[in-house]
Amino acid sequence: MSAAVVCNELAVRHGRLAVLRSISLALAPGEFLAVLGPNGAGKSTLLQALPGLIAFQGTVELLGIPVATCPPGRLCRLRRRVGYVPQLHARSASILPVCVREVVEMGRAGVRGTGRRLTAEDRAVCERIMQQTRLTELADRPYHVLSGGEQRKVHLARALAQEPAVLLLDEPAGHLDFHWQEAITQLIGECWRNSGTTVIMVTHDLRHLPADISRVALLKRGRIIRQGRPQEILQDANLSELYELPLRVAVTEGRYSAFPEEAR
Amino acid sequence: MTSLELKWLLTALLGGAGCGLAGFILVSMNLPFMGICLAHAALAGAVLSYFIHTPTLPTALVAALLTAALIGPLADKTRTHANTMMSILFSLTLGLAFLGIGLLQQQRSDVLSLMWGNLLLVRWVDLWPLGAAALLPLLLLSLLGKETKAVLFDREIARSSGIHATAIYYAMIAFCGLTVTVNLNVVGGLMLYSLLTNPAVAAFQLSSGYRSVIVLSMLLGTLSALGGLVVSFVLNWPAGASIVLVSSLVYAISLTVAGLRSAPPWNREGPEP
């Protein structure tokens, strides 16, 4: 089977600043890649570059389609197969009076096609996803009254409603309390295992990774310094180098965490 | 009702509804300042038309659309927030409009009427563009309902999920530019801002449903324009200023009504744990 995501020598510049430099990745369908790195490493930029949301140099192929040379109409159709959950705390909240169900249905807006109304099938998909993400009770609640954790869940459901082949998650559990960090992490793990979607998730916290993920890449100052299986990459020395801090890695039932050495 | 009164009534109806709808779009996108920026760009375009001898309305519309098209790319390119870029373009276009008025030897009163507006001087022929400006964005919001809703909610998220978000965004802004331009001689470039913002913000206070906010924005826009017309007629006040006062009153009443309503079910205190 062909790769779900391939990028070669991917580079992004913001003016004179090189944000990403010669990134090369290849992911088979159904793999879960965690991209770890400190703040400012270029993690969010990588997720934005993959579906062509920002300009980049190099090549990216999503689901076998080259993104850089893709005509706008085809790129739109390609993005309908890619669920993207941006870093929500960095965005100003919308004041549009929409309820949870309406936000989740926005995930079907592209998929159904321009100018076409949502069908009973689309609504059924949204109801199923809301059930799966345990949002049914909140379905009629206005989006803007939700807590940060609930809003993340809604955006995860919106992206899942696309029934995506590739899911891009930007710190989905960042800036949340312990309860919500764990709830979102569990949910992402369930969705990945049940749907067979290829997932790329960026985070700076190992505890936000679901159990048994397949790949890890360490991103530092715009470059991937290590990538491979989690058992090989998530080692004390690699993470200490990544965060420039002596760290110890612990593994419990397939889940990873890291602590500063002095704290132990 | 005389033909003259019918014309005033229709002007207030179409102008108010159009401004209410454009206001809903701009307030939803958190860009209310875009309204005043487009209004002054249109004013500068209208002044320019007297120098280059072109029809006033199309020239004003081109100026408003050019400004709208410039805001996004300029803000992105210079890494400036869109609101800051709007402030720069707003003052530039206002300066250009005043420069033009200063240099203009004749027809100065015509140009000044665009700045202050006068609903009572609108001609029958002016009603067509007013109607088109109210209808076109409404058609866009109806025919591309799910797409426009997603873009108004979050343009980047809409783009990432495969919606033609940039085209829809600029279409909405262009229609707002059209509304602003055709309403220049009704309310005037300086006072249009209140008719764009107040009814829409009041509608957001009063309703929590997407469709009902759109309908309410248009209704409150119409109410403000009609109310302003009646006040202007009864008290012999300038129409533009009367509309501003009535729309501000509509907003104040909406705040009071919203404050009096009982808490929604999800916000009521439950039994003590």
Side-chain angles (χ1 to χ4, degrees):
Chain A
M1 195 185 273
S2 63
V5 183
V6 183
C7 64
N8 273 314
E9 296 296 314
L10 170 71
V12 175
R13 299 186 73 86
H14 286 166
R16 274 176 288 181
L17 181 73
V19 186
L20 286 180
R21 287 180 269 202
S22 39
I23 304 283
S24 296
L25 286 169
L27 277 182
E31 279 202 283
F32 190 120
L33 169 72
V35 180
L36 288 169
N39 293 334
K43 305 187 293 296
S44 301
T45 308
L46 175 62
L47 285 197
Q48 288 168 340
L50 291 176
L53 295 172
I54 52 170
F56 62 83
Q57 282 102 48
T59 59
V60 174
E61 270 189 31
L62 273 183
L63 306 166
I65 297 168
V67 172
T69 54
C70 200
R74 200 167 174 215
L75 189 57
C76 260
R77 288 195 293 278
L78 174 62
R79 286 185 188 139
R80 291 167 192 172
R81 299 166 67 198
V82 180
Y84 171 59
V85 180
Q87 224 173 340
L88 286 178
H89 64 88
R91 309 183 75 82
S92 57
S94 169
I95 59 159
L96 204 66
V98 283
C99 66
V100 168
R101 181 180 283 108
E102 286 173 286
V103 178
V104 175
E105 284 176 354
M106 285 175 197
R108 298 301 293 176
V111 177
R112 181 46 54 202
T114 307
R116 298 203 178 121
R117 290 185 184 278
L118 293 186
T119 61
E121 184 197 337
D122 292 315
R123 295 188 202 286
V125 170
C126 293
E127 291 303 323
R128 175 170 57 78
I129 298 288
M130 283 195 291
Q131 240 169 20
Q132 194 185 339
T133 49
R134 294 176 280 283
L135 279 171
T136 312
E137 271 186 23
L138 300 179
D140 296 316
R141 197 167 291 191
Y143 171 81
H144 65 267
V145 305
L146 301 181
S147 72
E150 288 166 337
Q151 289 188 348
R152 300 295 169 90
K153 221 157 72 156
V154 173
H155 279 283
L156 191 60
R158 176 194 53 75
L160 289 170
Q162 287 175 239
E163 298 186 303
V166 176
L167 191 57
L168 306 173
L169 306 172
D170 195 347
E171 299 202 23
H175 296 258
L176 296 179
D177 66 34
F178 277 126
H179 168 85
W180 277 107
Q181 285 179 35
E182 196 46 33
I184 296 283
T185 304
Q186 295 281 354
L187 196 58
I188 290 168
E190 274 172 38
C191 294
W192 169 55
R193 280 184 281 271
N194 296 339
S195 65
T197 307
T198 310
V199 181
I200 301 182
M201 173 174 150
V202 308
T203 179
H204 50 78
D205 195 333
L206 263 64
R207 292 171 304 167
H208 298 166
L209 300 178
D212 308 322
I213 59 167
S214 43
R215 299 269 299 281
V216 175
L218 305 184
L219 193 66
K220 188 175 183 182
R221 296 194 190 107
R223 288 182 194 278
I224 291 183
I225 56 168
R226 303 259 186 291
Q227 61 171 316
R229 291 166 56 224
Q231 300 89 318
E232 297 157 3
I233 302 299
L234 298 178
Q235 302 283 342
D236 296 355
N238 291 340
L239 287 183
S240 301
E241 182 194 352
L242 181 69
Y243 291 106
E244 295 174 7
L245 180 77
L247 290 170
R248 288 269 170 121
V249 178
V251 195
T252 319
E253 294 173 1
R255 297 275 302 272
Y256 289 83
S257 51
F259 305 90
E261 258 187 3
E262 298 92 60
R264 288 168 66 93
Chain B
M1 186 184 285
T2 66
S3 154
L4 200 63
E5 285 165 349
L6 179 69
K7 187 179 70 182
W8 292 340
L9 190 75
L10 281 173
T11 306
L13 201 80
L14 295 173
C19 284
L21 187 57
F24 163 77
I25 292 172
L26 295 174
V27 171
S28 296
M29 291 196 286
N30 216 358
L31 291 174
F33 201 61
M34 176 81 89
I36 198 165
C37 189
L38 293 180
H40 290 93
L43 193 63
V47 173
L48 180 71
S49 75
Y50 287 90
F51 286 94
I52 58 172
H53 306 292
T54 50
T56 305
L57 185 70
T59 316
L61 182 61
V62 168
L65 296 185
L66 268 179
T67 309
L70 273 176
I71 292 166
L74 268 180
D76 290 344
K77 206 85 183 157
T78 55
R79 297 187 149 262
T80 313
H81 194 277
N83 273 328
T84 314
M85 192 47 69
M86 280 185 250
S87 314
I88 293 168
L89 290 176
F90 151 70
S91 50
L92 173 67
T93 49
L94 186 62
L96 285 175
F98 275 120
L99 177 69
I101 292 167
L103 292 176
L104 206 61
Q105 299 300 318
Q106 286 140 10
Q107 297 163 303
R108 197 177 275 187
S109 61
D110 289 357
V111 180
L112 285 173
S113 78
L114 290 174
M115 197 176 282
W116 309 119
N118 195 343
L119 192 150
L120 305 179
L121 295 180
V122 168
R123 300 161 302 167
W124 276 107
V125 70
D126 295 328
L127 290 184
W128 289 106
L130 274 178
L135 197 64
L136 286 173
L138 196 61
L139 271 178
L140 182 73
L141 291 187
S142 315
L143 295 177
L144 296 180
K146 63 187 190 343
E147 288 85 358
T148 44
K149 192 200 275 186
V151 173
L152 289 173
F153 179 69
D154 190 313
R155 189 174 145 203
E156 276 311 297
I157 288 179
R159 192 162 87 97
S160 75
S161 63
I163 292 170
H164 296 279
T166 309
I168 290 171
Y169 172 80
Y170 279 109
M172 286 195 283
I173 296 291
F175 286 144
C176 291
L178 176 67
T179 307
V180 164
T181 307
V182 300
N183 277 287
L184 275 184
N185 52 354
V186 179
V187 196
L190 288 182
M191 284 174 283
L192 194 57
Y193 193 45
S194 76
L195 198 53
L196 280 170
T197 315
N198 293 349
V201 180
F204 273 92
Q205 288 289 333
L206 293 173
S207 178
S208 55
Y210 178 74
R211 280 180 194 204
S212 54
V213 167
I214 297 177
V215 173
L216 206 55
S217 282
M218 295 179 77
L219 282 177
L220 294 178
T222 306
L223 181 72
S224 303
L226 277 178
L229 180 71
V230 171
V231 169
S232 141
F233 206 70
V234 173
L235 300 176
N236 201 17
W237 285 0
S242 307
I243 291 174
V244 171
L245 292 179
V246 173
S247 75
S248 304
L249 185 68
V250 164
Y251 174 60
I253 292 171
S254 78
L255 279 182
T256 316
V257 172
L260 290 176
R261 275 189 312 193
S262 58
W266 58 84
N267 206 18
R268 283 185 198 138
E269 277 183 41
E272 288 292 321

mmCIF file of all heavy atoms in Angstrom, chain B residues 1-32:
data_model
loop_
_atom_site.group_PDB
_atom_site.id
_atom_site.type_symbol
_atom_site.label_atom_id
_atom_site.label_comp_id
_atom_site.label_asym_id
_atom_site.label_seq_id
_atom_site.Cartn_x
_atom_site.Cartn_y
_atom_site.Cartn_z
ATOM 1 N N MET B 1 -50.613 56.881 1.810
ATOM 2 C CA MET B 1 -49.169 57.167 1.787
ATOM 3 C C MET B 1 -48.792 57.753 0.416
ATOM 4 O O MET B 1 -49.162 57.207 -0.621
ATOM 5 C CB MET B 1 -48.393 55.872 2.026
ATOM 6 C CG MET B 1 -46.915 56.083 2.162
ATOM 7 S SD MET B 1 -46.025 54.526 2.318
ATOM 8 C CE MET B 1 -46.403 54.051 3.982
ATOM 9 N N THR B 2 -48.068 58.856 0.442
ATOM 10 C CA THR B 2 -47.669 59.473 -0.835
ATOM 11 C C THR B 2 -46.503 58.704 -1.440
ATOM 12 O O THR B 2 -45.857 57.889 -0.758
ATOM 13 C CB THR B 2 -47.215 60.930 -0.619
ATOM 14 O OG1 THR B 2 -46.026 60.881 0.164
ATOM 15 C CG2 THR B 2 -48.280 61.760 0.069
ATOM 16 N N SER B 3 -46.238 58.961 -2.711
ATOM 17 C CA SER B 3 -45.130 58.299 -3.402
ATOM 18 C C SER B 3 -43.795 58.637 -2.718
ATOM 19 O O SER B 3 -42.908 57.789 -2.608
ATOM 20 C CB SER B 3 -45.138 58.753 -4.859
ATOM 21 O OG SER B 3 -43.879 58.678 -5.427
ATOM 22 N N LEU B 4 -43.693 59.867 -2.242
ATOM 23 C CA LEU B 4 -42.462 60.314 -1.575
ATOM 24 C C LEU B 4 -42.239 59.530 -0.269
ATOM 25 O O LEU B 4 -41.136 59.054 0.014
ATOM 26 C CB LEU B 4 -42.581 61.809 -1.273
ATOM 27 C CG LEU B 4 -41.278 62.553 -1.031
ATOM 28 C CD1 LEU B 4 -40.415 62.524 -2.274
ATOM 29 C CD2 LEU B 4 -41.580 64.003 -0.635
ATOM 30 N N GLU B 5 -43.331 59.396 0.499
ATOM 31 C CA GLU B 5 -43.225 58.660 1.779
ATOM 32 C C GLU B 5 -42.891 57.194 1.535
ATOM 33 O O GLU B 5 -42.118 56.592 2.280
ATOM 34 C CB GLU B 5 -44.532 58.790 2.563
ATOM 35 C CG GLU B 5 -44.705 60.154 3.208
ATOM 36 C CD GLU B 5 -46.126 60.426 3.661
ATOM 37 O OE1 GLU B 5 -47.040 59.655 3.295
ATOM 38 O OE2 GLU B 5 -46.308 61.416 4.375
ATOM 39 N N LEU B 6 -43.486 56.628 0.464
ATOM 40 C CA LEU B 6 -43.209 55.220 0.126
ATOM 41 C C LEU B 6 -41.723 55.051 -0.208
ATOM 42 O O LEU B 6 -41.081 54.087 0.212
ATOM 43 C CB LEU B 6 -44.085 54.799 -1.060
ATOM 44 C CG LEU B 6 -43.872 53.355 -1.535
ATOM 45 C CD1 LEU B 6 -44.388 52.371 -0.485
ATOM 46 C CD2 LEU B 6 -44.566 53.100 -2.871
ATOM 47 N N LYS B 7 -41.187 56.022 -0.938
ATOM 48 C CA LYS B 7 -39.763 55.962 -1.315
ATOM 49 C C LYS B 7 -38.880 56.012 -0.067
ATOM 50 O O LYS B 7 -37.932 55.238 0.072
ATOM 51 C CB LYS B 7 -39.438 57.135 -2.242
ATOM 52 C CG LYS B 7 -38.041 57.078 -2.829
ATOM 53 C CD LYS B 7 -37.779 58.248 -3.743
ATOM 54 C CE LYS B 7 -37.676 59.521 -2.937
ATOM 55 N NZ LYS B 7 -37.460 60.703 -3.772
ATOM 56 N N TRP B 8 -39.220 56.887 0.877
ATOM 57 C CA TRP B 8 -38.431 56.988 2.121
ATOM 58 C C TRP B 8 -38.504 55.679 2.907
ATOM 59 O O TRP B 8 -37.515 55.202 3.434
ATOM 60 C CB TRP B 8 -38.947 58.147 2.991
ATOM 61 C CG TRP B 8 -38.701 59.488 2.395
ATOM 62 C CD1 TRP B 8 -37.790 59.809 1.432
ATOM 63 C CD2 TRP B 8 -39.401 60.697 2.716
ATOM 64 N NE1 TRP B 8 -37.868 61.142 1.135
ATOM 65 C CE2 TRP B 8 -38.840 61.728 1.911
ATOM 66 C CE3 TRP B 8 -40.417 61.041 3.599
ATOM 67 C CZ2 TRP B 8 -39.265 63.049 1.960
ATOM 68 C CZ3 TRP B 8 -40.845 62.361 3.668
ATOM 69 C CH2 TRP B 8 -40.283 63.354 2.852
ATOM 70 N N LEU B 9 -39.741 55.151 2.939
ATOM 71 C CA LEU B 9 -39.958 53.913 3.685
ATOM 72 C C LEU B 9 -39.117 52.770 3.099
ATOM 73 O O LEU B 9 -38.430 52.045 3.825
ATOM 74 C CB LEU B 9 -41.452 53.559 3.628
ATOM 75 C CG LEU B 9 -41.903 52.441 4.541
ATOM 76 C CD1 LEU B 9 -41.961 52.941 5.968
ATOM 77 C CD2 LEU B 9 -43.272 51.915 4.116
ATOM 78 N N LEU B 10 -39.165 52.653 1.770
ATOM 79 C CA LEU B 10 -38.406 51.577 1.100
ATOM 80 C C LEU B 10 -36.902 51.772 1.290
ATOM 81 O O LEU B 10 -36.157 50.808 1.484
ATOM 82 C CB LEU B 10 -38.734 51.551 -0.395
ATOM 83 C CG LEU B 10 -40.060 50.882 -0.761
ATOM 84 C CD1 LEU B 10 -40.356 51.075 -2.249
ATOM 85 C CD2 LEU B 10 -40.018 49.399 -0.427
ATOM 86 N N THR B 11 -36.462 53.025 1.250
ATOM 87 C CA THR B 11 -35.030 53.321 1.437
ATOM 88 C C THR B 11 -34.583 52.862 2.824
ATOM 89 O O THR B 11 -33.560 52.190 2.968
ATOM 90 C CB THR B 11 -34.771 54.839 1.298
ATOM 91 O OG1 THR B 11 -35.307 55.267 0.064
ATOM 92 C CG2 THR B 11 -33.299 55.151 1.353
ATOM 93 N N ALA B 12 -35.380 53.222 3.818
ATOM 94 C CA ALA B 12 -35.026 52.847 5.193
ATOM 95 C C ALA B 12 -35.054 51.324 5.343
ATOM 96 O O ALA B 12 -34.169 50.733 5.976
ATOM 97 C CB ALA B 12 -36.004 53.488 6.173
ATOM 98 N N LEU B 13 -36.053 50.699 4.709
ATOM 99 C CA LEU B 13 -36.212 49.250 4.801
ATOM 100 C C LEU B 13 -35.003 48.527 4.187
ATOM 101 O O LEU B 13 -34.366 47.690 4.827
ATOM 102 C CB LEU B 13 -37.498 48.864 4.057
ATOM 103 C CG LEU B 13 -38.125 47.546 4.399
ATOM 104 C CD1 LEU B 13 -38.916 47.685 5.671
ATOM 105 C CD2 LEU B 13 -39.036 47.093 3.262
ATOM 106 N N LEU B 14 -34.678 48.908 2.952
ATOM 107 C CA LEU B 14 -33.593 48.219 2.231
ATOM 108 C C LEU B 14 -32.224 48.581 2.808
ATOM 109 O O LEU B 14 -31.371 47.710 2.996
ATOM 110 C CB LEU B 14 -33.642 48.568 0.745
ATOM 111 C CG LEU B 14 -34.882 48.072 -0.004
ATOM 112 C CD1 LEU B 14 -34.907 48.620 -1.427
ATOM 113 C CD2 LEU B 14 -34.899 46.542 -0.044
ATOM 114 N N GLY B 15 -32.028 49.870 3.088
ATOM 115 C CA GLY B 15 -30.744 50.316 3.646
ATOM 116 C C GLY B 15 -30.505 49.688 5.004
ATOM 117 O O GLY B 15 -29.424 49.169 5.289
ATOM 118 N N GLY B 16 -31.533 49.710 5.845
ATOM 119 C CA GLY B 16 -31.403 49.157 7.201
ATOM 120 C C GLY B 16 -31.158 47.660 7.177
ATOM 121 O O GLY B 16 -30.277 47.151 7.874
ATOM 122 N N ALA B 17 -31.922 46.941 6.340
ATOM 123 C CA ALA B 17 -31.750 45.482 6.270
ATOM 124 C C ALA B 17 -30.371 45.128 5.730
ATOM 125 O O ALA B 17 -29.689 44.238 6.249
ATOM 126 C CB ALA B 17 -32.841 44.882 5.383
ATOM 127 N N GLY B 18 -29.944 45.859 4.676
ATOM 128 C CA GLY B 18 -28.627 45.596 4.075
ATOM 129 C C GLY B 18 -27.515 45.854 5.077
ATOM 130 O O GLY B 18 -26.590 45.036 5.228
ATOM 131 N N CYS B 19 -27.597 46.977 5.789
ATOM 132 C CA CYS B 19 -26.549 47.308 6.772
ATOM 133 C C CYS B 19 -26.572 46.298 7.921
ATOM 134 O O CYS B 19 -25.523 45.907 8.434
ATOM 135 C CB CYS B 19 -26.743 48.718 7.313
ATOM 136 S SG CYS B 19 -26.223 49.964 6.148
ATOM 137 N N GLY B 20 -27.776 45.883 8.338
ATOM 138 C CA GLY B 20 -27.879 44.882 9.410
ATOM 139 C C GLY B 20 -27.193 43.584 9.018
ATOM 140 O O GLY B 20 -26.456 42.990 9.809
ATOM 141 N N LEU B 21 -27.402 43.181 7.769
ATOM 142 C CA LEU B 21 -26.816 41.923 7.286
ATOM 143 C C LEU B 21 -25.291 42.048 7.160
ATOM 144 O O LEU B 21 -24.540 41.165 7.599
ATOM 145 C CB LEU B 21 -27.447 41.555 5.941
ATOM 146 C CG LEU B 21 -27.099 40.206 5.361
ATOM 147 C CD1 LEU B 21 -27.445 39.093 6.341
ATOM 148 C CD2 LEU B 21 -27.824 39.978 4.042
ATOM 149 N N ALA B 22 -24.840 43.169 6.550
ATOM 150 C CA ALA B 22 -23.387 43.381 6.409
ATOM 151 C C ALA B 22 -22.757 43.457 7.800
ATOM 152 O O ALA B 22 -21.666 42.917 8.036
ATOM 153 C CB ALA B 22 -23.122 44.659 5.632
ATOM 154 N N GLY B 23 -23.468 44.089 8.734
ATOM 155 C CA GLY B 23 -22.971 44.200 10.103
ATOM 156 C C GLY B 23 -22.834 42.834 10.740
ATOM 157 O O GLY B 23 -21.843 42.550 11.418
ATOM 158 N N PHE B 24 -23.830 41.959 10.499
ATOM 159 C CA PHE B 24 -23.752 40.603 11.041
ATOM 160 C C PHE B 24 -22.477 39.911 10.544
ATOM 161 O O PHE B 24 -21.751 39.286 11.325
ATOM 162 C CB PHE B 24 -24.987 39.785 10.624
ATOM 163 C CG PHE B 24 -24.793 38.310 10.779
ATOM 164 C CD1 PHE B 24 -24.852 37.717 12.030
ATOM 165 C CD2 PHE B 24 -24.497 37.513 9.672
ATOM 166 C CE1 PHE B 24 -24.629 36.352 12.182
ATOM 167 C CE2 PHE B 24 -24.276 36.154 9.811
ATOM 168 C CZ PHE B 24 -24.343 35.573 11.066
ATOM 169 N N ILE B 25 -22.195 40.048 9.248
ATOM 170 C CA ILE B 25 -21.009 39.391 8.669
ATOM 171 C C ILE B 25 -19.737 39.947 9.311
ATOM 172 O O ILE B 25 -18.859 39.187 9.750
ATOM 173 C CB ILE B 25 -20.981 39.585 7.133
ATOM 174 C CG1 ILE B 25 -22.130 38.801 6.497
ATOM 175 C CG2 ILE B 25 -19.642 39.164 6.539
ATOM 176 C CD1 ILE B 25 -22.328 39.063 5.013
ATOM 177 N N LEU B 26 -19.653 41.282 9.405
ATOM 178 C CA LEU B 26 -18.420 41.901 9.917
ATOM 179 C C LEU B 26 -18.223 41.627 11.409
ATOM 180 O O LEU B 26 -17.106 41.351 11.853
ATOM 181 C CB LEU B 26 -18.443 43.414 9.647
ATOM 182 C CG LEU B 26 -18.424 43.793 8.157
ATOM 183 C CD1 LEU B 26 -18.606 45.288 7.989
ATOM 184 C CD2 LEU B 26 -17.127 43.346 7.496
ATOM 185 N N VAL B 27 -19.324 41.679 12.175
ATOM 186 C CA VAL B 27 -19.205 41.437 13.621
ATOM 187 C C VAL B 27 -18.862 39.960 13.863
ATOM 188 O O VAL B 27 -18.032 39.644 14.716
ATOM 189 C CB VAL B 27 -20.505 41.845 14.354
ATOM 190 C CG1 VAL B 27 -20.493 41.396 15.811
ATOM 191 C CG2 VAL B 27 -20.679 43.359 14.300
ATOM 192 N N SER B 28 -19.450 39.054 13.086
ATOM 193 C CA SER B 28 -19.140 37.626 13.238
ATOM 194 C C SER B 28 -17.659 37.352 13.007
ATOM 195 O O SER B 28 -17.063 36.520 13.671
ATOM 196 C CB SER B 28 -19.917 36.785 12.219
ATOM 197 O OG SER B 28 -21.265 36.885 12.451
ATOM 198 N N MET B 29 -17.091 38.049 12.014
ATOM 199 C CA MET B 29 -15.679 37.821 11.696
ATOM 200 C C MET B 29 -14.772 38.635 12.599
ATOM 201 O O MET B 29 -13.557 38.650 12.409
ATOM 202 C CB MET B 29 -15.409 38.154 10.233
ATOM 203 C CG MET B 29 -16.072 37.179 9.284
ATOM 204 S SD MET B 29 -15.445 37.239 7.601
ATOM 205 C CE MET B 29 -16.148 38.734 7.024
ATOM 206 N N ASN B 30 -15.388 39.305 13.586
ATOM 207 C CA ASN B 30 -14.628 40.128 14.522
ATOM 208 C C ASN B 30 -13.895 41.260 13.804
ATOM 209 O O ASN B 30 -12.771 41.613 14.157
ATOM 210 C CB ASN B 30 -13.631 39.255 15.296
ATOM 211 C CG ASN B 30 -13.489 39.715 16.716
ATOM 212 O OD1 ASN B 30 -14.108 40.701 17.112
ATOM 213 N ND2 ASN B 30 -12.674 39.033 17.490
ATOM 214 N N LEU B 31 -14.527 41.757 12.737
ATOM 215 C CA LEU B 31 -13.913 42.828 11.956
ATOM 216 C C LEU B 31 -14.853 44.031 11.831
ATOM 217 O O LEU B 31 -15.051 44.557 10.740
ATOM 218 C CB LEU B 31 -13.582 42.327 10.530
ATOM 219 C CG LEU B 31 -12.487 41.300 10.368
ATOM 220 C CD1 LEU B 31 -12.419 40.839 8.922
ATOM 221 C CD2 LEU B 31 -11.142 41.858 10.791
ATOM 222 N N PRO B 32 -15.469 44.486 12.940
ATOM 223 C CA PRO B 32 -16.424 45.583 12.782
ATOM 224 C C PRO B 32 -15.781 46.852 12.207
ATOM 225 O O PRO B 32 -16.429 47.635 11.540
ATOM 226 C CB PRO B 32 -16.943 45.823 14.204
ATOM 227 C CG PRO B 32 -15.948 45.206 15.095
ATOM 228 C CD PRO B 32 -15.322 44.086 14.339
#
